[in-house]
Amino acid sequence: MATPRATPSADRIAHTLRVHSFNAAAAQYAAGRPSYPPALFDTIEELTGRPLAGSRVVDVGAGTGMATARPHARGAEVIAVEPGDGMAAEFRRTLPDVPIVRGDGDALPPAGHCADLLTYAQAWHWTDPAKAVPEVLRVLRPGGTPALWWNTDALDVPWIAQAAERGDRHFGLDLSAEKRNVNARVADPTGRLDLVRRQIR
Ligand SMILES: C[S@@+](CC[C@H](N)C(=O)[O-])C[C@H]1O[C@@H](n2cnc3c(N)ncnc32)[C@H](O)[C@@H]1O
């Protein structure tokens, strides 16, 4: 007897297509995206009260390894988690010495209580927080910390604001407002994360 399968919604299909859109452009992503400033990792060390050297870090949604490379260079023991084929292949080319596991933030592959730090570099918004927050709490060691971050436009710099407005006009969108509203991306429906926010130039 055949078991009826649930049909995915149009939104779900669109989300899956967007998730996998990274994979066809992984090399361009690695070449074109800006990396992250050292000040970000200084701030993470300051807020967690723990040096990255010797810490166990899981970088979730690691992509091509742009963020993974930074704690690795500071002496952390890092493993990467990434769902996409193309991004994982680019990661292996860039960081052949760093282990990468295929998986995603909604069902993390690592065992429980193994990480001091979970990083989501421009990746948290791809997760379903209702699943991802319990996963954060499962994988972190007691006293461990999640760190979520995004690049955004410095809209207080006049030429950047003007460029953002031109982009919005061209596409008929209000992406600048969306970028300004970083708080909306840090959804925690469980209310179990005690988040602190910092803005880093
Ligand atoms: C904007 S890229 C960021 C990549 C990398 N962290 C960086 O800073 O360059 C987002 C990444 O999240 C991955 N991703 C998509 N869905 C995910 C999920 N549910 N959990 C974790 N990562 C996901 C994508 O495959 C992609 O590599």
Side-chain angles (χ1 to χ4, degrees), residues 1-5:
M1 195 172 74
T3 316
R5 282 220 208 129

Side-chain angles (χ1 to χ4, degrees), residues 42-52 55 116-117 143-147:
D42 296 342
T43 303
I44 289 173
E45 289 184 324
E46 179 205 321
L47 291 175
T48 60
R50 184 193 300 273
L52 282 162
S55 290
D116 299 306
L117 181 67
T145 313

Side-chain angles (χ1 to χ4, degrees), residues 40-127:
L40 169 62
F41 298 91
D42 296 342
T43 303
I44 289 173
E45 289 184 324
E46 179 205 321
L47 291 175
T48 60
R50 184 193 300 273
L52 282 162
S55 290
R56 298 189 76 183
V57 178
V58 179
D59 185 29
V60 185
T64 61
M66 206 164 277
T68 323
R70 300 293 203 190
H72 176 63
R74 290 190 183 209
E77 192 186 319
V78 193
I79 65 164
V81 173
E82 167 57 40
D85 290 341
M87 295 299 258
E90 191 63 35
F91 183 104
R92 290 196 188 93
R93 264 193 291 281
T94 320
L95 293 171
D97 302 334
V98 179
I100 179 164
V101 184
R102 305 301 301 284
D104 68 41
D106 298 342
L108 288 172
H113 308 305
C114 72
D116 299 306
L117 181 67
L118 288 176
T119 53
Y120 299 77
Q122 309 207 89
W124 179 256
H125 57 292
W126 290 107
T127 68

Side-chain angles (χ1 to χ4, degrees), residues 5-195:
R5 282 220 208 129
T7 313
S9 68
D11 278 0
R12 198 66 225 158
I13 293 168
H15 178 84
T16 304
L17 288 173
R18 279 201 304 276
V19 165
H20 291 288
S21 67
F22 286 102
N23 295 300
Q28 291 97 317
Y29 184 105
R33 274 262 175 146
S35 183
Y36 303 106
L40 169 62
F41 298 91
D42 296 342
T43 303
I44 289 173
E45 289 184 324
E46 179 205 321
L47 291 175
T48 60
R50 184 193 300 273
L52 282 162
S55 290
R56 298 189 76 183
V57 178
V58 179
D59 185 29
V60 185
T64 61
M66 206 164 277
T68 323
R70 300 293 203 190
H72 176 63
R74 290 190 183 209
E77 192 186 319
V78 193
I79 65 164
V81 173
E82 167 57 40
D85 290 341
M87 295 299 258
E90 191 63 35
F91 183 104
R92 290 196 188 93
R93 264 193 291 281
T94 320
L95 293 171
D97 302 334
V98 179
I100 179 164
V101 184
R102 305 301 301 284
D104 68 41
D106 298 342
L108 288 172
H113 308 305
C114 72
D116 299 306
L117 181 67
L118 288 176
T119 53
Y120 299 77
Q122 309 207 89
W124 179 256
H125 57 292
W126 290 107
T127 68
D128 172 356
K131 296 177 183 156
V133 173
E135 282 297 88
V136 166
L137 298 169
R138 181 183 68 77
V139 171
L140 284 176
R141 286 174 168 171
T145 313
L148 331 174
W149 69 84
W150 289 268
N151 284 335
T152 185
D153 291 349
L155 294 172
D156 54 335
V157 177
W159 74 262
I160 296 178
Q162 287 157 14
E165 276 165 27
R166 281 197 301 277
D168 280 358
R169 255 201 318 278
H170 180 79
F171 291 110
L173 297 170
D174 193 3
L175 292 176
S176 327
E178 194 182 307
K179 283 185 179 168
R180 270 195 299 273
N181 192 9
V182 170
N183 288 349
R185 304 187 204 178
V186 191
D188 170 16
T190 69
R192 293 172 71 192
L193 299 181
D194 180 16
L195 293 167

